[in-house]
Amino acid sequence: MTTVTIGGVTVGLGILIWQLIEWWPGFPAIKKDPLGQLAALLPFLVAWAYGVLAILTVGGLIGWTADSWLWINNWLGDTAIVWGVGGQAGQSAGAVTFVPLSQTGGALVLLMTIGIIGAARRPRWGSDIKKGAWCGICLGTSAGIAGFAAVPLAIAANWAGAHVYGAIAAIA
């Protein structure tokens, strides 16, 4: 697993800021329909959760792809920090200890991958889905709030996977 650097976290936070600016409907719209306006963030948030779970996978094609994507974003962010503001590259952002996905939790992530790929092809949500997964991969193992969200997400994926596959085994 690639450790996230300050550059990778910067890329993830930049994506989050971009998404929030694109989404912001203004105070009058939020006052009029707060749940409807917040629901517009749902595709991004679901994809963000998927990105966090994808970076927590330790092997296979999904884990390798997420790990490689994080490595590329670490490099891009570190380069931007060095050339943009004269900072230093490669500083670890203090990764959190993550909860490994169980076999059924990993199977659930595989099913989520199929859903995310299908949803990303939809013109209405495609951009939000791609940015959400990208942001989740960049922030999923950081030591901030986003990184701490990885632990309950992994526990929830393991629990849901066990119950889904347990129910299927009970039926069969």
Side-chain angles (χ1 to χ4, degrees), residues 9-50:
V9 170
T10 302
V11 170
L13 290 174
I15 296 164
L16 180 62
I17 290 168
W18 186 284
Q19 179 67 23
L20 291 174
I21 289 170
E22 280 187 344
W23 162 79
W24 182 249
F27 285 117
I30 290 178
K31 285 181 180 179
K32 184 178 179 183
D33 183 22
L35 292 178
Q37 297 302 326
L38 289 174
L41 281 176
L42 197 57
F44 178 84
L45 294 175
V46 169
W48 179 86
Y50 166 76

mmCIF file of all heavy atoms in Angstrom, residues 9-50:
data_model
loop_
_atom_site.group_PDB
_atom_site.id
_atom_site.type_symbol
_atom_site.label_atom_id
_atom_site.label_comp_id
_atom_site.label_asym_id
_atom_site.label_seq_id
_atom_site.Cartn_x
_atom_site.Cartn_y
_atom_site.Cartn_z
ATOM 1 N N VAL A 9 -2.710 14.376 -0.430
ATOM 2 C CA VAL A 9 -3.816 14.957 0.334
ATOM 3 C C VAL A 9 -4.227 16.292 -0.271
ATOM 4 O O VAL A 9 -5.423 16.611 -0.359
ATOM 5 C CB VAL A 9 -3.430 15.117 1.824
ATOM 6 C CG1 VAL A 9 -4.459 15.934 2.583
ATOM 7 C CG2 VAL A 9 -3.259 13.756 2.477
ATOM 8 N N THR A 10 -3.249 17.063 -0.737
ATOM 9 C CA THR A 10 -3.547 18.346 -1.362
ATOM 10 C C THR A 10 -4.387 18.156 -2.627
ATOM 11 O O THR A 10 -5.350 18.897 -2.858
ATOM 12 C CB THR A 10 -2.240 19.103 -1.692
ATOM 13 O OG1 THR A 10 -1.505 19.278 -0.475
ATOM 14 C CG2 THR A 10 -2.517 20.449 -2.321
ATOM 15 N N VAL A 11 -4.039 17.158 -3.426
ATOM 16 C CA VAL A 11 -4.845 16.864 -4.621
ATOM 17 C C VAL A 11 -6.266 16.490 -4.201
ATOM 18 O O VAL A 11 -7.245 16.990 -4.763
ATOM 19 C CB VAL A 11 -4.197 15.748 -5.467
ATOM 20 C CG1 VAL A 11 -5.143 15.262 -6.556
ATOM 21 C CG2 VAL A 11 -2.888 16.222 -6.081
ATOM 22 N N GLY A 12 -6.401 15.609 -3.201
ATOM 23 C CA GLY A 12 -7.728 15.200 -2.732
ATOM 24 C C GLY A 12 -8.546 16.365 -2.203
ATOM 25 O O GLY A 12 -9.738 16.497 -2.506
ATOM 26 N N LEU A 13 -7.926 17.228 -1.426
ATOM 27 C CA LEU A 13 -8.641 18.400 -0.906
ATOM 28 C C LEU A 13 -8.996 19.369 -2.024
ATOM 29 O O LEU A 13 -10.067 19.990 -2.002
ATOM 30 C CB LEU A 13 -7.801 19.102 0.164
ATOM 31 C CG LEU A 13 -7.639 18.350 1.481
ATOM 32 C CD1 LEU A 13 -6.665 19.078 2.396
ATOM 33 C CD2 LEU A 13 -8.978 18.147 2.159
ATOM 34 N N GLY A 14 -8.115 19.482 -3.018
ATOM 35 C CA GLY A 14 -8.414 20.331 -4.168
ATOM 36 C C GLY A 14 -9.641 19.837 -4.923
ATOM 37 O O GLY A 14 -10.494 20.629 -5.329
ATOM 38 N N ILE A 15 -9.750 18.518 -5.100
ATOM 39 C CA ILE A 15 -10.919 17.939 -5.766
ATOM 40 C C ILE A 15 -12.174 18.213 -4.945
ATOM 41 O O ILE A 15 -13.226 18.569 -5.485
ATOM 42 C CB ILE A 15 -10.727 16.430 -5.988
ATOM 43 C CG1 ILE A 15 -9.567 16.180 -6.943
ATOM 44 C CG2 ILE A 15 -12.001 15.774 -6.499
ATOM 45 C CD1 ILE A 15 -9.071 14.748 -6.921
ATOM 46 N N LEU A 16 -12.077 18.051 -3.626
ATOM 47 C CA LEU A 16 -13.217 18.303 -2.742
ATOM 48 C C LEU A 16 -13.664 19.764 -2.833
ATOM 49 O O LEU A 16 -14.859 20.053 -2.948
ATOM 50 C CB LEU A 16 -12.858 17.928 -1.305
ATOM 51 C CG LEU A 16 -13.937 18.141 -0.257
ATOM 52 C CD1 LEU A 16 -15.164 17.285 -0.552
ATOM 53 C CD2 LEU A 16 -13.380 17.814 1.127
ATOM 54 N N ILE A 17 -12.714 20.691 -2.801
ATOM 55 C CA ILE A 17 -13.047 22.115 -2.900
ATOM 56 C C ILE A 17 -13.707 22.406 -4.247
ATOM 57 O O ILE A 17 -14.721 23.109 -4.321
ATOM 58 C CB ILE A 17 -11.780 22.978 -2.694
ATOM 59 C CG1 ILE A 17 -11.342 22.896 -1.226
ATOM 60 C CG2 ILE A 17 -12.021 24.426 -3.121
ATOM 61 C CD1 ILE A 17 -9.957 23.454 -0.966
ATOM 62 N N TRP A 18 -13.147 21.851 -5.317
ATOM 63 C CA TRP A 18 -13.714 22.056 -6.657
ATOM 64 C C TRP A 18 -15.165 21.574 -6.709
ATOM 65 O O TRP A 18 -16.036 22.257 -7.230
ATOM 66 C CB TRP A 18 -12.859 21.317 -7.678
ATOM 67 C CG TRP A 18 -13.250 21.552 -9.095
ATOM 68 C CD1 TRP A 18 -14.320 21.014 -9.761
ATOM 69 C CD2 TRP A 18 -12.597 22.392 -10.027
ATOM 70 N NE1 TRP A 18 -14.354 21.460 -11.046
ATOM 71 C CE2 TRP A 18 -13.303 22.315 -11.243
ATOM 72 C CE3 TRP A 18 -11.477 23.195 -9.968
ATOM 73 C CZ2 TRP A 18 -12.922 23.008 -12.369
ATOM 74 C CZ3 TRP A 18 -11.095 23.883 -11.102
ATOM 75 C CH2 TRP A 18 -11.818 23.786 -12.272
ATOM 76 N N GLN A 19 -15.398 20.379 -6.148
ATOM 77 C CA GLN A 19 -16.745 19.807 -6.165
ATOM 78 C C GLN A 19 -17.718 20.673 -5.361
ATOM 79 O O GLN A 19 -18.850 20.905 -5.792
ATOM 80 C CB GLN A 19 -16.731 18.380 -5.602
ATOM 81 C CG GLN A 19 -18.079 17.716 -5.554
ATOM 82 C CD GLN A 19 -18.656 17.437 -6.934
ATOM 83 O OE1 GLN A 19 -17.924 17.348 -7.900
ATOM 84 N NE2 GLN A 19 -19.957 17.295 -7.015
ATOM 85 N N LEU A 20 -17.295 21.136 -4.203
ATOM 86 C CA LEU A 20 -18.177 21.963 -3.383
ATOM 87 C C LEU A 20 -18.500 23.296 -4.055
ATOM 88 O O LEU A 20 -19.626 23.791 -3.966
ATOM 89 C CB LEU A 20 -17.573 22.181 -1.996
ATOM 90 C CG LEU A 20 -17.518 20.937 -1.107
ATOM 91 C CD1 LEU A 20 -16.776 21.236 0.188
ATOM 92 C CD2 LEU A 20 -18.912 20.401 -0.828
ATOM 93 N N ILE A 21 -17.519 23.866 -4.750
ATOM 94 C CA ILE A 21 -17.766 25.119 -5.464
ATOM 95 C C ILE A 21 -18.734 24.884 -6.619
ATOM 96 O O ILE A 21 -19.650 25.692 -6.838
ATOM 97 C CB ILE A 21 -16.435 25.736 -5.953
ATOM 98 C CG1 ILE A 21 -15.651 26.277 -4.752
ATOM 99 C CG2 ILE A 21 -16.679 26.839 -6.987
ATOM 100 C CD1 ILE A 21 -14.240 26.695 -5.072
ATOM 101 N N GLU A 22 -18.568 23.786 -7.357
ATOM 102 C CA GLU A 22 -19.494 23.476 -8.450
ATOM 103 C C GLU A 22 -20.904 23.212 -7.932
ATOM 104 O O GLU A 22 -21.881 23.570 -8.567
ATOM 105 C CB GLU A 22 -19.015 22.240 -9.222
ATOM 106 C CG GLU A 22 -17.934 22.514 -10.211
ATOM 107 C CD GLU A 22 -17.629 21.294 -11.060
ATOM 108 O OE1 GLU A 22 -18.018 20.162 -10.707
ATOM 109 O OE2 GLU A 22 -17.001 21.479 -12.102
ATOM 110 N N TRP A 23 -21.001 22.582 -6.782
ATOM 111 C CA TRP A 23 -22.308 22.213 -6.227
ATOM 112 C C TRP A 23 -23.033 23.402 -5.601
ATOM 113 O O TRP A 23 -24.251 23.489 -5.677
ATOM 114 C CB TRP A 23 -22.133 21.117 -5.175
ATOM 115 C CG TRP A 23 -23.313 20.983 -4.268
ATOM 116 C CD1 TRP A 23 -24.497 20.351 -4.547
ATOM 117 C CD2 TRP A 23 -23.455 21.525 -2.957
ATOM 118 N NE1 TRP A 23 -25.355 20.456 -3.478
ATOM 119 C CE2 TRP A 23 -24.736 21.182 -2.482
ATOM 120 C CE3 TRP A 23 -22.625 22.263 -2.126
ATOM 121 C CZ2 TRP A 23 -25.189 21.537 -1.233
ATOM 122 C CZ3 TRP A 23 -23.079 22.628 -0.884
ATOM 123 C CH2 TRP A 23 -24.353 22.267 -0.450
ATOM 124 N N TRP A 24 -22.316 24.330 -4.970
ATOM 125 C CA TRP A 24 -22.917 25.354 -4.128
ATOM 126 C C TRP A 24 -24.077 26.058 -4.819
ATOM 127 O O TRP A 24 -23.900 26.785 -5.788
ATOM 128 C CB TRP A 24 -21.861 26.372 -3.706
ATOM 129 C CG TRP A 24 -22.408 27.424 -2.795
ATOM 130 C CD1 TRP A 24 -22.595 28.731 -3.078
ATOM 131 C CD2 TRP A 24 -22.847 27.244 -1.450
ATOM 132 N NE1 TRP A 24 -23.118 29.384 -2.008
ATOM 133 C CE2 TRP A 24 -23.290 28.493 -0.984
ATOM 134 C CE3 TRP A 24 -22.921 26.153 -0.594
ATOM 135 C CZ2 TRP A 24 -23.784 28.683 0.297
ATOM 136 C CZ3 TRP A 24 -23.414 26.350 0.676
ATOM 137 C CH2 TRP A 24 -23.839 27.590 1.109
ATOM 138 N N PRO A 25 -25.292 25.876 -4.304
ATOM 139 C CA PRO A 25 -26.466 26.485 -4.938
ATOM 140 C C PRO A 25 -26.785 27.881 -4.414
ATOM 141 O O PRO A 25 -27.628 28.563 -4.968
ATOM 142 C CB PRO A 25 -27.589 25.510 -4.579
ATOM 143 C CG PRO A 25 -27.173 24.976 -3.244
ATOM 144 C CD PRO A 25 -25.661 24.911 -3.283
ATOM 145 N N GLY A 26 -26.167 28.287 -3.317
ATOM 146 C CA GLY A 26 -26.453 29.577 -2.699
ATOM 147 C C GLY A 26 -27.384 29.417 -1.506
ATOM 148 O O GLY A 26 -28.111 28.431 -1.387
ATOM 149 N N PHE A 27 -27.351 30.398 -0.615
ATOM 150 C CA PHE A 27 -28.159 30.332 0.597
ATOM 151 C C PHE A 27 -29.664 30.290 0.332
ATOM 152 O O PHE A 27 -30.378 29.535 0.984
ATOM 153 C CB PHE A 27 -27.821 31.486 1.543
ATOM 154 C CG PHE A 27 -26.519 31.304 2.253
ATOM 155 C CD1 PHE A 27 -25.476 32.190 2.049
ATOM 156 C CD2 PHE A 27 -26.315 30.245 3.119
ATOM 157 C CE1 PHE A 27 -24.265 32.030 2.699
ATOM 158 C CE2 PHE A 27 -25.105 30.068 3.772
ATOM 159 C CZ PHE A 27 -24.077 30.969 3.556
ATOM 160 N N PRO A 28 -30.183 31.084 -0.619
ATOM 161 C CA PRO A 28 -31.633 31.027 -0.847
ATOM 162 C C PRO A 28 -32.111 29.632 -1.258
ATOM 163 O O PRO A 28 -33.151 29.174 -0.784
ATOM 164 C CB PRO A 28 -31.871 32.047 -1.969
ATOM 165 C CG PRO A 28 -30.719 32.990 -1.878
ATOM 166 C CD PRO A 28 -29.565 32.155 -1.406
ATOM 167 N N ALA A 29 -31.356 28.970 -2.118
ATOM 168 C CA ALA A 29 -31.753 27.627 -2.561
ATOM 169 C C ALA A 29 -31.661 26.623 -1.415
ATOM 170 O O ALA A 29 -32.509 25.732 -1.295
ATOM 171 C CB ALA A 29 -30.875 27.171 -3.725
ATOM 172 N N ILE A 30 -30.652 26.763 -0.571
ATOM 173 C CA ILE A 30 -30.507 25.846 0.570
ATOM 174 C C ILE A 30 -31.629 26.074 1.580
ATOM 175 O O ILE A 30 -32.161 25.124 2.147
ATOM 176 C CB ILE A 30 -29.117 25.992 1.223
ATOM 177 C CG1 ILE A 30 -28.053 25.427 0.267
ATOM 178 C CG2 ILE A 30 -29.059 25.282 2.565
ATOM 179 C CD1 ILE A 30 -26.639 25.551 0.751
ATOM 180 N N LYS A 31 -31.998 27.326 1.815
ATOM 181 C CA LYS A 31 -33.102 27.620 2.734
ATOM 182 C C LYS A 31 -34.425 27.063 2.215
ATOM 183 O O LYS A 31 -35.243 26.583 2.980
ATOM 184 C CB LYS A 31 -33.233 29.127 2.958
ATOM 185 C CG LYS A 31 -32.173 29.703 3.848
ATOM 186 C CD LYS A 31 -32.412 31.196 4.027
ATOM 187 C CE LYS A 31 -31.367 31.811 4.911
ATOM 188 N NZ LYS A 31 -31.562 33.253 5.072
ATOM 189 N N LYS A 32 -34.620 27.138 0.900
ATOM 190 C CA LYS A 32 -35.871 26.697 0.303
ATOM 191 C C LYS A 32 -35.993 25.176 0.296
ATOM 192 O O LYS A 32 -37.054 24.633 0.616
ATOM 193 C CB LYS A 32 -35.972 27.234 -1.127
ATOM 194 C CG LYS A 32 -37.274 26.904 -1.815
ATOM 195 C CD LYS A 32 -37.318 27.516 -3.195
ATOM 196 C CE LYS A 32 -38.636 27.151 -3.866
ATOM 197 N NZ LYS A 32 -38.692 27.652 -5.223
ATOM 198 N N ASP A 33 -34.935 24.472 -0.071
ATOM 199 C CA ASP A 33 -34.973 23.012 -0.194
ATOM 200 C C ASP A 33 -33.642 22.409 0.263
ATOM 201 O O ASP A 33 -32.832 21.976 -0.559
ATOM 202 C CB ASP A 33 -35.262 22.631 -1.654
ATOM 203 C CG ASP A 33 -35.388 21.134 -1.852
ATOM 204 O OD1 ASP A 33 -35.678 20.415 -0.868
ATOM 205 O OD2 ASP A 33 -35.182 20.676 -2.995
ATOM 206 N N PRO A 34 -33.393 22.365 1.573
ATOM 207 C CA PRO A 34 -32.084 21.896 2.043
ATOM 208 C C PRO A 34 -31.802 20.435 1.695
ATOM 209 O O PRO A 34 -30.690 20.107 1.267
ATOM 210 C CB PRO A 34 -32.130 22.117 3.558
ATOM 211 C CG PRO A 34 -33.565 22.260 3.899
ATOM 212 C CD PRO A 34 -34.255 22.751 2.677
ATOM 213 N N LEU A 35 -32.778 19.559 1.862
ATOM 214 C CA LEU A 35 -32.541 18.138 1.565
ATOM 215 C C LEU A 35 -32.330 17.898 0.077
ATOM 216 O O LEU A 35 -31.487 17.095 -0.320
ATOM 217 C CB LEU A 35 -33.677 17.279 2.100
ATOM 218 C CG LEU A 35 -33.774 17.195 3.620
ATOM 219 C CD1 LEU A 35 -34.968 16.344 4.028
ATOM 220 C CD2 LEU A 35 -32.495 16.659 4.219
ATOM 221 N N GLY A 36 -33.076 18.589 -0.743
ATOM 222 C CA GLY A 36 -32.917 18.453 -2.188
ATOM 223 C C GLY A 36 -31.545 18.921 -2.651
ATOM 224 O O GLY A 36 -30.924 18.305 -3.517
ATOM 225 N N GLN A 37 -31.086 20.020 -2.063
ATOM 226 C CA GLN A 37 -29.768 20.540 -2.435
ATOM 227 C C GLN A 37 -28.654 19.614 -1.949
ATOM 228 O O GLN A 37 -27.692 19.368 -2.659
ATOM 229 C CB GLN A 37 -29.567 21.951 -1.875
ATOM 230 C CG GLN A 37 -30.535 22.971 -2.424
ATOM 231 C CD GLN A 37 -30.486 23.085 -3.930
ATOM 232 O OE1 GLN A 37 -29.440 22.946 -4.556
ATOM 233 N NE2 GLN A 37 -31.634 23.318 -4.541
ATOM 234 N N LEU A 38 -28.798 19.090 -0.742
ATOM 235 C CA LEU A 38 -27.793 18.149 -0.230
ATOM 236 C C LEU A 38 -27.809 16.834 -0.999
ATOM 237 O O LEU A 38 -26.774 16.195 -1.164
ATOM 238 C CB LEU A 38 -28.012 17.895 1.265
ATOM 239 C CG LEU A 38 -27.665 19.059 2.178
ATOM 240 C CD1 LEU A 38 -28.066 18.741 3.614
ATOM 241 C CD2 LEU A 38 -26.185 19.381 2.099
ATOM 242 N N ALA A 39 -28.972 16.445 -1.496
ATOM 243 C CA ALA A 39 -29.068 15.205 -2.273
ATOM 244 C C ALA A 39 -28.254 15.284 -3.558
ATOM 245 O O ALA A 39 -27.819 14.258 -4.082
ATOM 246 C CB ALA A 39 -30.526 14.897 -2.594
ATOM 247 N N ALA A 40 -28.028 16.493 -4.053
ATOM 248 C CA ALA A 40 -27.217 16.654 -5.257
ATOM 249 C C ALA A 40 -25.771 16.233 -5.015
ATOM 250 O O ALA A 40 -25.048 15.929 -5.959
ATOM 251 C CB ALA A 40 -27.276 18.097 -5.744
ATOM 252 N N LEU A 41 -25.339 16.191 -3.759
ATOM 253 C CA LEU A 41 -23.980 15.745 -3.420
ATOM 254 C C LEU A 41 -23.879 14.219 -3.286
ATOM 255 O O LEU A 41 -22.781 13.679 -3.184
ATOM 256 C CB LEU A 41 -23.522 16.371 -2.097
ATOM 257 C CG LEU A 41 -23.041 17.800 -2.151
ATOM 258 C CD1 LEU A 41 -22.727 18.301 -0.754
ATOM 259 C CD2 LEU A 41 -21.836 17.941 -3.044
ATOM 260 N N LEU A 42 -25.007 13.533 -3.268
ATOM 261 C CA LEU A 42 -25.023 12.092 -3.017
ATOM 262 C C LEU A 42 -24.149 11.282 -3.982
ATOM 263 O O LEU A 42 -23.391 10.423 -3.522
ATOM 264 C CB LEU A 42 -26.451 11.573 -2.989
ATOM 265 C CG LEU A 42 -26.661 10.207 -2.363
ATOM 266 C CD1 LEU A 42 -26.138 10.174 -0.936
ATOM 267 C CD2 LEU A 42 -28.130 9.856 -2.384
ATOM 268 N N PRO A 43 -24.197 11.495 -5.304
ATOM 269 C CA PRO A 43 -23.321 10.707 -6.185
ATOM 270 C C PRO A 43 -21.844 10.882 -5.850
ATOM 271 O O PRO A 43 -21.082 9.914 -5.835
ATOM 272 C CB PRO A 43 -23.640 11.249 -7.583
ATOM 273 C CG PRO A 43 -25.005 11.813 -7.474
ATOM 274 C CD PRO A 43 -25.109 12.347 -6.067
ATOM 275 N N PHE A 44 -21.441 12.111 -5.552
ATOM 276 C CA PHE A 44 -20.045 12.361 -5.176
ATOM 277 C C PHE A 44 -19.698 11.629 -3.887
ATOM 278 O O PHE A 44 -18.646 10.987 -3.795
ATOM 279 C CB PHE A 44 -19.808 13.866 -5.010
ATOM 280 C CG PHE A 44 -18.409 14.217 -4.581
ATOM 281 C CD1 PHE A 44 -17.400 14.341 -5.514
ATOM 282 C CD2 PHE A 44 -18.110 14.425 -3.240
ATOM 283 C CE1 PHE A 44 -16.105 14.662 -5.127
ATOM 284 C CE2 PHE A 44 -16.825 14.744 -2.843
ATOM 285 C CZ PHE A 44 -15.814 14.867 -3.780
ATOM 286 N N LEU A 45 -20.571 11.706 -2.883
ATOM 287 C CA LEU A 45 -20.284 11.079 -1.588
ATOM 288 C C LEU A 45 -20.236 9.555 -1.664
ATOM 289 O O LEU A 45 -19.397 8.931 -1.028
ATOM 290 C CB LEU A 45 -21.311 11.539 -0.550
ATOM 291 C CG LEU A 45 -21.257 13.022 -0.183
ATOM 292 C CD1 LEU A 45 -22.396 13.379 0.752
ATOM 293 C CD2 LEU A 45 -19.915 13.364 0.434
ATOM 294 N N VAL A 46 -21.138 8.962 -2.434
ATOM 295 C CA VAL A 46 -21.115 7.501 -2.602
ATOM 296 C C VAL A 46 -19.825 7.079 -3.298
ATOM 297 O O VAL A 46 -19.168 6.122 -2.893
ATOM 298 C CB VAL A 46 -22.363 7.017 -3.372
ATOM 299 C CG1 VAL A 46 -22.231 5.567 -3.794
ATOM 300 C CG2 VAL A 46 -23.608 7.214 -2.525
ATOM 301 N N ALA A 47 -19.445 7.809 -4.337
ATOM 302 C CA ALA A 47 -18.206 7.491 -5.044
ATOM 303 C C ALA A 47 -16.991 7.748 -4.158
ATOM 304 O O ALA A 47 -15.998 7.024 -4.232
ATOM 305 C CB ALA A 47 -18.110 8.297 -6.333
ATOM 306 N N TRP A 48 -17.054 8.772 -3.297
ATOM 307 C CA TRP A 48 -15.967 9.033 -2.361
ATOM 308 C C TRP A 48 -15.793 7.838 -1.414
ATOM 309 O O TRP A 48 -14.674 7.391 -1.180
ATOM 310 C CB TRP A 48 -16.256 10.309 -1.563
ATOM 311 C CG TRP A 48 -15.182 10.614 -0.569
ATOM 312 C CD1 TRP A 48 -14.033 11.298 -0.796
ATOM 313 C CD2 TRP A 48 -15.155 10.217 0.809
ATOM 314 N NE1 TRP A 48 -13.288 11.353 0.364
ATOM 315 C CE2 TRP A 48 -13.958 10.698 1.351
ATOM 316 C CE3 TRP A 48 -16.033 9.507 1.622
ATOM 317 C CZ2 TRP A 48 -13.608 10.491 2.686
ATOM 318 C CZ3 TRP A 48 -15.687 9.302 2.944
ATOM 319 C CH2 TRP A 48 -14.489 9.789 3.464
ATOM 320 N N ALA A 49 -16.910 7.335 -0.892
ATOM 321 C CA ALA A 49 -16.847 6.165 -0.011
ATOM 322 C C ALA A 49 -16.259 4.962 -0.752
ATOM 323 O O ALA A 49 -15.462 4.206 -0.195
ATOM 324 C CB ALA A 49 -18.237 5.832 0.533
ATOM 325 N N TYR A 50 -16.637 4.798 -2.014
ATOM 326 C CA TYR A 50 -16.063 3.719 -2.814
ATOM 327 C C TYR A 50 -14.547 3.909 -2.965
ATOM 328 O O TYR A 50 -13.783 2.958 -2.828
ATOM 329 C CB TYR A 50 -16.707 3.650 -4.206
ATOM 330 C CG TYR A 50 -15.904 2.785 -5.128
ATOM 331 C CD1 TYR A 50 -15.951 1.402 -5.011
ATOM 332 C CD2 TYR A 50 -15.049 3.349 -6.068
ATOM 333 C CE1 TYR A 50 -15.171 0.605 -5.829
ATOM 334 C CE2 TYR A 50 -14.269 2.553 -6.879
ATOM 335 C CZ TYR A 50 -14.325 1.187 -6.761
ATOM 336 O OH TYR A 50 -13.533 0.396 -7.547
#
